[in-house]
Amino acid sequence: MTAEEMWAKSCAANDVNPATRWEAWAFCGGGPAADELAALVLEGTKTATASAWIAYENEGAELPKPGDYSVILYDNGSAAAVIRDTKVSLVPFDEVPAEHAYKEGEGSRSLAEWREVHKRAFAPDYQAAGREFDPHGICVLEEFVLVYPADARH
């Protein structure tokens, strides 16, 4: 199913105006991790994500805000799910709480593992800006709910 098709079905199922702003994206920009993380969303384990603020700065992109919708894509570009942000926080990397790492639902769900994985994930964003990774750099923390397909959750 395409992102557009899933968005239309989600709007119909949830009584949302189809003209509401939404974005389509894959976790980690694609690759095998995108499929693994989409599966965690569908099973209800993953209810949060994080990105480096510098990535938004590099791209001149608008920061997410509560109420924003996203169609989550698999690596092949097909739609996996629709989520809606419920909370967005700007937090220094070294101050991200263990609770957020747990909500991301990945691996052991520990803060130590979260920091290790996200340092590697964010490093290219810093390199693109001509900078070294900053352990005090701002992270964009998003918490979300799965809105479609609602029956995917266990």
Side-chain angles (χ1 to χ4, degrees), residues 5 10 16 25 27 29 49 55 79 90 103-104 114 120 133 141:
E5 291 168 336
S10 176
V16 172
W25 49 272
F27 288 108
T49 193
L90 301 179
K103 289 177 180 180
E104 286 211 28
W114 182 93
R120 285 194 312 267
F133 173 78
L141 305 183

Side-chain angles (χ1 to χ4, degrees), residues 85-107:
D85 279 341
T86 57
K87 181 179 179 183
V88 178
S89 307
L90 301 179
V91 178
F93 182 87
D94 57 355
E95 294 179 27
V96 170
E99 178 184 17
H100 184 83
Y102 185 83
K103 289 177 180 180
E104 286 211 28
E106 303 165 32

Side-chain angles (χ1 to χ4, degrees), residues 5-57:
E5 291 168 336
M6 182 168 279
W7 176 245
K9 288 183 179 211
S10 176
C11 288
N14 293 294
D15 196 27
V16 172
N17 181 339
T20 301
R21 182 174 124 21
W22 60 281
E23 295 183 330
W25 49 272
F27 288 108
C28 302
D35 293 350
E36 293 168 17
L37 298 178
L40 290 175
V41 169
L42 288 168
E43 70 184 34
T45 303
K46 184 173 184 62
T47 60
T49 193
S51 51
W53 177 82
I54 199 167
Y56 291 91
E57 183 179 52

